Amino acid sequence: MKKAFLIVLIVFAVLLSGCVEPPEPTGKCGDGTCDPKEIANPNLCPQDCEQTQNEETIGFIGCSITHNAVDGYIALGGNKFWTWDQTHPNSFGGAGIITYYRQLMDGVEEGEKDYWGLFKTQVKEHPNTKKIWLETCANEASKELTYENLLAIKNEIKRIAPNTELYVTPMPIFVDTVDKMCVNKEAVETINNHVKKMVREENDVKSGPKLTNLREAQTREDGCHATEAGQAIWGQDLMNFFDEGNSRELELKQAIAETNVTPGNGGYKRAELIVVGNELWFGFEVGGKFKLVELNEDLSYRGQVFEVFSGPNERDSHDIRLATDGTNLWYAFETVIKGAEKNTCDGHFLNIAKYDISGNEPRLESSKIDIAKGCPFSNAPPNLSTPVNPELVDDPSPIFYNGEYVVLTRAWWGHTVHHIRTFDEEFNQLRNLTLDLGPLTNNKTLTQNALVNIDGKVYIIGGLANNPPSTSSIYAIPLSSDLTSVEGEIVSLVNKPGGPSKKTTAARYVDGKLYINYGQIVNGENLHHLGVFDVENNFDSIEQIQFQDEGFQFNHSSIEVFENKVYALYNKGEISLPFDILGQMFEWQ
């Protein structure tokens, strides 16, 4: 009987042992491994932990997107960031910034991870952490967070890790696709503005690495988490910032020398570039009609050249300007009744078209012609009869903004009231607006221009010219969210001595940098340039590159930013027809 009782007792003890987590494994002092117990007690076995304790580590706090970046960093061979095991029930994990604030104020809800507790554990297990990287991940609920709420999060991080430098990074806004439950643009913009203010005003906060805005091909199906390719891009962002001492500045260097992009038989003009998804598209005019072709990274053609909608056949078509709504390619352009160029304000028309480019060839989705009438570009007779607030419909500026297709046409010479029209996805007109820049610009004339979305605000990038035009410069003009007025400071971008800075026809905002093209008079010739500006530092100039050596009367150029590369297309500098389109590519190295 006693023997049977003893067997039952042993079996019970074995079963009970299965319900209790085994103790955390530890090695022996002198085995060369700094185990968790030794990490938490550095003096317990100095010989095992000497190397670990001497190596500075970088901590992080954020969400799954933050982990994507750290995973990419580690995969590239980086060894400074905390490592983490996502399969372990007590892994560090991460959450949106709103969750950190809620847990700080109200505690941990039943069934959820204690993120602040896990952060404290990581700090304790990595006593030589010298830097903390905070990424402010913003979901829809985060738009309710105030600046003071973010300060409370910052103060808690500094309380837990007082002897560390804190680097804060706003969450990237994805270029092509966003799952609003994961990334809410309004929330991102709100939190990002708080971050900028905190970096400016708090002495114990520094600006962190800028994560590249990923495109659709670099994100998973949910539209916000990175694929391995996307993780590698973010990992490189971290490596460039932290492993290079926070000070390494990449240079924009020529990677493809000047090359012919068109076949070389002449008659090509009005080069336009646009990235849609992970595809680089090239639009141009030849024989009064528009063509479209996808480009490879080396500026060679990928597939055939397609003729696309150019308006009524009996008219001449000019000035194609490409844009994207994130999925489709669309454009605005001018058509002219033959013979009407110089003697009437009734012969020039504004038009738009949209193409689905997801298939084997572009497919026309929508088009709208004769939206507005414009006056002649130049050489108009002095007695020309003009309408109220006359406009030029050449070089119309398109942008997709807040779900609307937006087109700006500038005022005719000597006038300051510009026109902005918006359309729905079927190109039904939604709004017909006017924008008077005269009172704010000393009645200067707006030259050809481009529209760009910078952190949720539309800017006009273009020249403002006095008469004579030798005094013109390139400016960034911020608009209100309803596009009816200027809201904010008008910033001078290019104001070079020796000749006027004229038109801008392309502007791109990528990773905190504004990229533009602009014409500059150099020794009497209008030559095109690339300008790069640091938006967060008052649009300070980063790069100014003259990419064209010969100018001519019908000069036009375009630029596009694709990953870390900048493409520039422009006309070959011949005074007489025929002429071709040339291209170069620059790369951050």
Side-chain angles (χ1 to χ4, degrees):
M1 185 72 176
K2 290 181 179 180
K3 184 176 181 180
F5 177 77
L6 182 60
I7 291 172
V8 170
L9 185 62
I10 292 172
V11 171
F12 178 75
V14 172
L15 292 173
L16 183 63
S17 68
C19 300
V20 179
E21 289 189 7
E24 190 173 70
T26 58
K28 295 181 179 180
C29 185
D31 63 2
T33 301
C34 187
D35 61 47
K37 185 176 181 181
E38 292 168 346
I39 289 175
N41 301 276
N43 296 324
L44 191 63
C45 191
Q47 62 264 42
D48 283 353
C49 296
E50 181 178 4
Q51 183 178 4
T52 302
Q53 298 306 316
N54 287 337
E55 291 179 352
E56 293 185 2
T57 58
I58 302 171
F60 61 95
I61 184 167
C63 62
S64 53
I65 290 176
T66 313
H67 284 283
N68 284 170
V70 174
D71 286 344
Y73 170 88
I74 294 171
L76 291 173
N79 58 5
K80 293 185 178 181
F81 271 89
W82 294 344
T83 57
W84 65 293
D85 180 4
Q86 60 181 328
T87 64
H88 193 281
N90 291 323
S91 67
F92 182 32
I97 195 72
I98 186 69
T99 301
Y100 284 98
Y101 180 72
R102 177 177 52 76
Q103 288 193 355
L104 180 62
M105 295 294 105
D106 303 328
V108 182
E109 294 181 354
E110 184 177 353
E112 72 174 351
K113 285 185 177 182
D114 178 1
Y115 292 108
W116 286 111
L118 292 169
F119 178 67
K120 292 176 186 177
T121 300
Q122 290 286 332
V123 172
K124 184 177 181 181
E125 291 183 354
H126 299 85
N128 217 32
T129 298
K130 300 301 182 184
K131 298 172 183 176
I132 300 292
W133 174 47
L134 166 65
E135 184 182 20
T136 54
C137 303
N139 55 18
E140 190 165 9
S142 303
K143 61 188 177 184
E144 305 301 329
L145 281 179
T146 66
Y147 176 67
E148 287 70 26
N149 299 156
L150 192 60
L151 279 182
I153 292 171
K154 184 271 292 186
N155 291 335
E156 181 66 3
I157 293 172
K158 297 299 292 184
R159 186 188 71 79
I160 296 171
N163 299 317
T164 60
E165 296 178 340
L166 179 59
Y167 294 84
V168 185
T169 293
M171 190 174 187
I173 297 179
F174 294 80
V175 177
D176 302 313
T177 176
V178 169
D179 175 355
K180 72 175 183 178
M181 296 306 295
C182 177
V183 186
N184 179 272
K185 284 190 175 182
E186 182 181 351
V188 169
E189 290 159 6
T190 297
I191 300 301
N192 287 4
N193 287 333
H194 295 338
V195 169
K196 293 174 185 177
K197 181 179 179 181
M198 189 163 67
V199 170
R200 287 196 309 268
E201 298 184 359
E202 298 295 312
N203 294 329
D204 56 355
V205 177
K206 298 181 180 181
S207 181
K210 295 181 178 67
L211 296 189
T212 300
N213 293 333
L214 297 186
R215 297 186 178 275
E216 185 175 6
Q218 299 149 352
T219 57
R220 299 179 192 170
E221 291 183 359
D222 62 10
C224 66
H225 293 94
T227 62
E228 286 187 8
Q231 289 181 14
I233 292 172
W234 283 344
Q236 190 64 56
D237 292 337
L238 296 184
M239 194 166 284
N240 290 342
F241 186 88
F242 287 109
D243 288 19
E244 300 293 339
N246 309 345
S247 60
R248 178 172 180 253
E249 293 185 2
L250 300 179
E251 295 181 354
L252 197 58
K253 298 182 178 181
Q254 186 186 62
I256 296 178
E258 184 174 86
T259 184
N260 262 61
V261 182
T262 49
N265 54 355
Y268 302 90
K269 55 183 179 179
R270 298 297 312 188
E272 279 284 305
L273 284 171
I274 194 71
V275 168
V276 184
N278 61 346
E279 299 173 351
L280 178 63
W281 286 89
F282 165 39
F284 57 95
E285 176 190 337
V286 58
K289 301 298 179 184
F290 301 138
K291 302 295 181 74
L292 195 63
V293 63
E294 186 182 355
L295 296 181
N296 293 304
E297 290 190 2
D298 63 358
L299 293 176
S300 63
Y301 291 0
R302 176 179 291 182
Q304 70 182 90
V305 177
F306 300 97
E307 183 170 323
V308 292
F309 182 71
S310 306
N313 290 329
E314 64 274 13
R315 298 182 192 172
D316 292 327
S317 301
H318 305 292
D319 301 346
I320 184 172
R321 295 285 298 276
L322 300 182
T324 180
D325 59 12
T327 302
N328 302 295
L329 181 151
W330 71 287
Y331 53 92
F333 62 100
E334 177 192 28
T335 57
V336 181
I337 295 176
K338 297 180 187 297
E341 287 89 343
K342 299 179 180 180
N343 56 14
T344 178
C345 285
D346 292 326
H348 304 251
F349 299 92
L350 172 66
N351 316 269
I352 53 178
K354 178 173 62 174
Y355 274 83
D356 177 354
I357 57 171
S358 62
N360 294 327
E361 62 181 75
R363 180 171 59 86
L364 183 63
E365 287 278 297
S366 301
S367 65
K368 192 177 186 67
I369 65 171
D370 300 350
I371 297 167
K373 293 180 180 180
C375 293
F377 175 73
S378 61
N379 300 322
N383 60 349
L384 177 70
S385 176
T386 59
V388 176
N389 298 328
E391 58 188 304
L392 283 161
V393 295
D394 78 295
D395 264 311
S397 302
I399 191 173
F400 185 74
Y401 176 67
N402 282 349
E404 296 181 323
Y405 297 83
V406 180
V407 181
L408 179 147
T409 55
R410 67 194 191 282
W412 193 54
W413 308 112
H415 295 260
T416 63
V417 177
H418 313 283
H419 294 261
I420 297 176
R421 297 173 177 88
T422 73
F423 306 86
D424 65 16
E425 62 181 6
E426 301 297 329
F427 284 171
N428 299 305
Q429 186 166 296
L430 299 175
R431 297 185 292 160
N432 187 353
L433 312 172
T434 56
L435 174 69
D436 188 357
L437 296 180
L440 296 175
T441 63
N442 197 25
N443 294 320
K444 291 181 179 180
T445 295
L446 178 67
T447 68
Q448 291 99 321
N449 58 84
L451 300 176
V452 61
N453 186 335
I454 299 179
D455 293 332
K457 180 184 286 290
V458 170
Y459 282 71
I460 302 173
I461 310 296
L464 289 173
N466 285 323
N467 194 11
S470 59
T471 56
S472 66
S473 304
I474 305 294
Y475 291 85
I477 306 170
L479 301 184
S480 58
S481 59
D482 62 5
L483 308 178
T484 60
S485 61
V486 174
E487 184 178 86
E489 180 184 0
I490 297 177
V491 180
S492 176
L493 299 177
V494 182
N495 187 9
K496 296 182 179 180
S501 304
K502 291 189 173 182
K503 62 183 181 183
T504 289
T505 53
R508 306 288 187 262
Y509 177 63
V510 181
D511 299 335
K513 299 182 182 72
L514 171 65
Y515 299 76
I516 70 169
N517 69 337
Y518 63 91
Q520 175 78 27
I521 301 299
V522 179
N523 297 324
E525 286 192 291
N526 180 24
L527 303 179
H528 279 253
H529 295 65
L530 166 67
V532 187
F533 306 88
D534 185 347
V535 172
E536 293 187 0
N537 288 310
N538 298 314
F539 292 88
D540 285 351
S541 175
I542 299 173
E543 294 275 3
Q544 302 290 325
I545 298 173
Q546 179 184 316
F547 55 77
Q548 186 182 38
D549 295 324
E550 295 180 86
F552 72 118
Q553 182 180 0
F554 303 103
N555 211 349
H556 180 77
S557 71
S558 184
I559 62 162
E560 182 57 285
V561 183
F562 191 25
E563 297 176 349
N564 66 331
K565 303 174 179 65
V566 184
Y567 293 89
L569 300 187
Y570 49 96
N571 280 116
K572 188 176 182 179
E574 296 179 357
I575 298 297
S576 59
L577 298 179
F579 43 86
D580 282 280
I581 293 171
L582 306 177
Q584 297 179 46
M585 188 265 278
F586 303 88
E587 186 172 12
W588 289 105
Q589 299 176 1

